Amino acid sequence: MNTEAQAAPPKNRRYFHLDCAIIGQREIAQEHFVIRLSCPEYDGDFSPGQFVNLKCDDTPYGRLYRPFSILRYHKHSRTIEILYKVVGSGTMWLKEQPEGTVLKILLPLGNAFTVPNGARRVALVAGGVGIAPMIFLAEHLRNTRPQADVLFLMGARAKDGLCIPLFEEARIDAEYATEDGSFGHNGLVTDLLRQRFTASSAEQSDAQAESSDSAQSQGFDYIACCGPTAMMAEVQHIVEGRCKAEASLEERMACGIGACFGCVQTIREDDGTIARATTCRDGPVFPLDKVVFEQ
Amino acid sequence: MNHEQSKHAIPDLTVRIGSLELKNPVTVASGCFGYGEEYNEFFDVGLLGAIFTKAVSKEPRLGNPTPRLWETPAGMLNSIGLQNPGVVTFIKEKIPILNSLGTTWIVNVVGKAIRDYVAVVMEIEKAGGAPGYELNISCPNVEGEGMEFGKNPKVVEELFTTLRSITDKPLIGKLTPNVTDITLQARIAENCGLDAISVINTLSGMAIDIETRKSRLAKPTGGLSGPAIRPIAVRMVWECANVVKIPIIGQGGIVRAEDAIEFIIAGATAVSIGTGLWLDPDCPMNVISGISDYLARNGLAHVGELTGTANLDSAT
Ligand SMILES: Cc1cc2nc3c(=O)[nH]c(=O)nc-3n(C[C@H](O)[C@H](O)[C@H](O)COP(=O)(O)OP(=O)(O)OC[C@H]3O[C@@H](n4cnc5c(N)ncnc54)[C@H](O)[C@@H]3O)c2cc1C
Ligand SMILES: Cc1cc2nc3c(=O)[nH]c(=O)nc-3n(C[C@H](O)[C@H](O)[C@H](O)COP(=O)(O)O)c2cc1C
Ligand code: FES
């Protein structure tokens, strides 16, 4: 990636490696936990899309840090909330940790969603634990863009994975899809997007949503998505560059700050050239039309 | 406090690699620290002994597809594929940053053929030069049927001799452990007039997903690093130290000060930390202060007094 930037003076710190203490954890769906972490030494902020690296073990030769998106950040109390699904050794260890356990955390990592200023109609498309940054973004939009009409589409394999309690406590209305038909639309969350995404969105985005009737239109000014790769590739296919869309991507990570080139995404630049950008520093949020999904 | 005491109270950590003086023996390993700018937004990288950059090749390289990483017990496999912006962009965009970091830096050079290494070093020399060059011989030699350069002693000799003839700057050979006897490469490096050797690069490894029966990486194999390889790396440093006099930069699985001290006792003049940065991001600073404390505790005035002091008399 290009860097015109001069090296930051050491005092100009961007990344911090701090202690945080577990204040509480609760299981909101099977094997899905919301963990609250108190991080009193951090006086910065977080934007939707950013993540942290958490040390999920207690030995010096233990595991690589695990990346987790920010679900919520309460700046006044310096409390971070994360939603995690138990999938392997690190998350298995994490769920056993009692209140008061002190963990190492590297933060704030990655970039953030960039919702255009005039955006009136926004769609947020989430699949599985991809819900975490989407809840953060939805709450952020409610606070900062009260005029925006936000449609939240949530998909999971089965009802439990929809994390409905999260929507209830955040008072977010969503449309749901489950692959087994146990709740909401029987099928994929992208089916819901396709139904809503009409050709009118093309003209809509061209007009930059400035016309007064834009709110009534079926088109969107902005779409954000986070979930399984196949889901995001399908969103890309549906949108076809007709409105601004961003995706928060995942990749296996080591350093978390852009130094090891382990976590790259293949990106097609505007001039057609192919580049490999780091998910942890250049991302995790990328313009959806530039992502080359390799499956 | 008399002179003797004060000398012991604050041990001298400076070490020499050829004509380079490092403020301490703790460096960061190639490929694990980018070109310095990212970590400089985290801690004052100027406190390090030196920075070994990510590999630089003649042309830009996109590297391998993902997944590029796979975690293993006490270690990890990687197959980055030497992604880098190429020497021209390196000179334009990375050297100015490296020069501003407050410590010395050594550029890790790779190529598909010997002439590529020459081209990279010549380009950098034309642009004012690097404080030092590390030659990575763990990459495939396209003209040698894709086998690692380091596996063929004749090619290693030709590479080292050629590079020595084009620069007087400190030249470091980064040896591959994927051979039966690593001391062969060490001797060649010394005989060709190289200033130092880095021991070791990653060990070739593999992991298979038993459900899909595919590699866990996009490529069949990758390089194993981290604490899992440390005993092998310490042994190889010791073997090399027994046959050459040039300084050795020991690496492989260093996370804590005692790990670094083990390498120094085995014969290393300096050490490098790679994977350890990701098991404990604070580890470089802790290793520096831990070495200093150890020297003070053992009444050693200079870190060089510890190098190669393994007491192996009772070993069989
Ligand atoms: C930017 C980003 C944000 C994420 N946000 C969330 C979140 O909000 N909630 C959540 O539940 N999960 C999230 N993940 C996935 C999460 O990092 C993994 O589920 C977690 O690392 C698994 O650790 P483990 O030890 O339990 O699993 P293991 O399978 O034992 O882990 C083995 C190794 O693979 C890595 N790994 C495994 N799964 C993934 C994955 N999906 N993505 C990247 N690396 C992986 C681990 O970090 C570790 O290095 C995110 C991943 C990324 C890259
Ligand atoms: C992700 C990664 C990338 C690496 N890239 C390079 C490289 O470009 N050139 C090189 O000579 N060594 C490279 N190495 C090897 C390291 O410099 C180091 O020799 C090795 O990892 C052993 O040290 P460690 O266990 O502390 O990581 C890389 C290692 C890792 C883990
Ligand atoms: S994890 Fe190292 S570059 Fe992203």
Side-chain angles (χ1 to χ4, degrees):
Chain A
M1 288 275 96
N2 289 342
T3 25
E4 317 100 293
Q6 293 297 305
K11 283 175 204 80
N12 195 0
R13 283 180 70 176
R14 167 171 169 186
Y15 302 114
F16 298 85
H17 187 224
L18 305 171
D19 285 338
C20 63
I22 299 178
I23 314 176
Q25 313 205 46
R26 64 204 153 92
E27 191 165 7
I28 58 132
Q30 200 189 356
E31 295 296 282
H32 287 66
F33 292 81
V34 172
I35 186 169
R36 290 191 305 133
L37 302 165
S38 159
C39 198
E41 288 168 84
Y42 181 58
D43 66 2
D45 218 330
F46 285 102
S47 300
Q50 288 193 291
F51 67 101
V52 296
N53 260 5
L54 204 57
K55 183 167 166 71
C56 293
D57 65 83
D58 48 15
T59 73
Y61 300 122
R63 304 186 183 99
L64 297 169
Y65 283 45
R66 283 8 185 181
F68 297 104
S69 299
I70 301 290
L71 168 67
R72 255 184 219 110
Y73 183 57
H74 307 280
K75 188 153 194 246
H76 54 280
S77 60
R78 301 190 176 180
T79 305
I80 294 168
E81 286 185 49
I82 287 168
L83 167 73
Y84 70 91
K85 182 180 173 185
V86 177
V87 297
S89 60
T91 45
M92 217 113 66
W93 179 88
L94 191 58
K95 79 167 188 184
E96 299 300 333
Q97 300 314 303
E99 226 174 278
T101 304
V102 175
L103 305 173
K104 283 286 182 188
I105 191 167
L106 185 67
L107 78 195
L109 305 179
N111 66 357
F113 292 102
T114 56
V115 186
N117 272 331
R120 288 291 187 91
R121 282 189 54 89
V122 172
L124 307 181
V125 187
V129 284
I131 181 188
M134 290 296 146
I135 296 268
F136 191 7
L137 182 56
E139 292 187 337
H140 178 77
L141 288 173
R142 182 163 61 200
N143 294 335
T144 59
R145 313 277 179 89
Q147 81 289 359
D149 180 3
V150 179
L151 173 70
F152 202 126
L153 305 176
M154 173 68 193
R157 210 154 288 152
K159 182 181 177 192
D160 198 47
L162 294 170
C163 299
I164 291 169
L166 267 187
F167 289 93
E168 287 171 353
E169 67 182 38
R171 286 170 288 109
I172 294 171
D173 291 323
E175 288 181 25
Y176 301 99
T178 51
E179 285 171 49
D180 69 353
S182 51
F183 196 80
H185 168 72
N186 184 348
L188 300 170
V189 67
T190 46
D191 300 341
L192 298 176
L193 179 69
R194 194 180 296 102
Q195 287 162 16
R196 298 305 199 90
F197 194 85
T198 63
S200 63
S201 62
E203 294 108 63
Q204 208 47 54
S205 68
D206 288 342
Q208 283 294 315
E210 271 156 13
S211 63
S212 59
D213 59 348
S214 64
Q216 280 87 50
S217 155
Q218 280 294 295
F220 296 105
D221 308 315
Y222 175 78
I223 295 175
C225 62
C226 184
T229 306
M231 181 203 97
M232 294 189 284
E234 185 58 18
V235 174
Q236 184 187 54
H237 184 69
I238 294 168
V239 177
E240 275 188 315
R242 285 179 291 170
C243 80
K244 174 167 173 167
E246 293 180 312
S248 177
L249 306 182
E250 278 185 11
E251 194 47 70
R252 288 177 185 275
M253 295 186 172
C255 71
I257 71 170
C260 74
F261 303 111
C263 68
V264 296
Q265 301 291 340
T266 305
I267 298 296
R268 186 176 287 111
E269 302 287 8
D270 291 335
D271 63 3
T273 56
I274 296 291
R276 289 226 163 92
T278 58
T279 307
C280 65
R281 187 173 164 103
D282 302 322
V285 180
F286 290 94
L288 185 60
D289 55 347
K290 290 192 177 179
V291 179
V292 180
F293 290 105
E294 292 161 307
Q295 285 163 2
Chain B
M1 203 188 265
N2 69 31
H3 182 64
E4 267 317 293
Q5 279 173 325
S6 64
K7 210 168 97 188
H8 283 175
I10 309 169
D12 182 354
L13 292 182
T14 57
V15 296
R16 273 196 166 278
I17 304 293
S19 58
L20 278 183
E21 179 168 285
L22 312 190
K23 59 184 96 174
N24 63 63
V26 181
T27 73
V28 282
S30 173
C32 304
F33 212 75
Y35 302 94
E37 62 205 296
E38 296 84 11
Y39 273 102
N40 198 46
E41 293 178 348
F42 169 45
F43 70 98
D44 182 359
V45 305
L47 299 170
L48 294 167
I51 293 167
F52 286 85
T53 73
K54 175 67 193 166
V56 175
S57 56
K58 189 169 152 235
E59 310 290 348
R61 284 202 197 176
L62 274 178
N64 292 333
T66 54
R68 292 177 169 189
L69 306 174
W70 179 252
E71 192 175 23
T72 63
M76 56 180 271
L77 287 167
N78 86 80
S79 73
I80 309 295
L82 301 170
Q83 176 175 349
N84 80 92
V87 69
V88 174
T89 303
F90 170 74
I91 290 169
K92 205 170 93 202
E93 293 179 8
K94 306 298 181 187
I95 289 187
I97 296 171
L98 285 161
N99 279 337
S100 74
L101 296 178
T103 188
T104 195
W105 53 275
I106 293 154
V107 58
N108 184 268
V109 181
V110 287
K112 291 181 175 153
I114 292 178
R115 61 178 175 279
D116 296 343
Y117 288 83
V118 172
V120 171
V121 173
M122 298 272 258
E123 280 293 320
I124 296 173
E125 283 293 287
K126 263 197 293 183
Y133 298 93
E134 182 182 55
L135 308 174
N136 175 358
I137 57 172
S138 293
C139 45
N141 174 8
V142 172
E143 285 166 1
E145 285 139 9
M147 194 169 78
E148 280 179 52
F149 279 90
K151 286 186 176 169
N152 184 338
K154 272 205 157 55
V155 177
V156 174
E157 186 168 4
E158 191 188 339
L159 174 72
F160 287 172
T161 310
T162 309
L163 272 293
R164 183 72 290 173
S165 71
I166 62 167
T167 178
D168 295 330
K169 296 277 180 52
L171 264 187
I172 300 164
K174 181 149 183 185
L175 310 190
T176 173
N178 302 316
V179 292
T180 312
D181 180 5
I182 197 166
T183 63
L184 260 177
Q185 296 167 65
R187 283 184 223 262
I188 295 169
E190 186 167 68
N191 291 341
C192 294
L194 264 57
D195 298 278
I197 49 177
S198 287
V199 180
I200 58 176
N201 209 319
T202 53
L203 281 147
S204 182
M206 193 168 182
I208 297 170
D209 180 333
I210 61 165
E211 301 305 329
T212 64
R213 304 187 194 180
K214 290 184 178 166
S215 170
R216 294 290 195 177
L217 302 167
K219 294 274 165 173
T221 64
L224 183 66
S225 63
I229 71 169
R230 200 177 72 234
I232 299 171
V234 171
R235 186 259 296 174
M236 289 187 169
V237 165
W238 175 71
E239 287 176 344
C240 290
N242 284 337
V243 299
V244 296
K245 294 201 170 58
I246 52 175
I248 298 171
I249 300 143
Q251 58 205 284
I254 295 173
V255 184
R256 298 198 286 189
E258 46 264 53
D259 309 335
I261 292 164
E262 195 181 349
F263 274 96
I264 296 171
I265 292 172
T269 295
V271 295
S272 260
I273 300 174
T275 306
L277 287 159
W278 313 323
L279 297 173
D280 174 10
D282 291 330
C283 79
M285 292 305 121
N286 295 339
V287 171
I288 295 171
S289 59
I291 293 173
S292 184
D293 293 348
Y294 176 89
L295 295 175
R297 202 166 69 239
N298 287 277
L300 298 170
H302 185 265
V303 61
E305 294 170 32
L306 191 61
T307 295
T309 54
N311 175 6
L312 301 169
D313 291 346
S314 58
T316 48

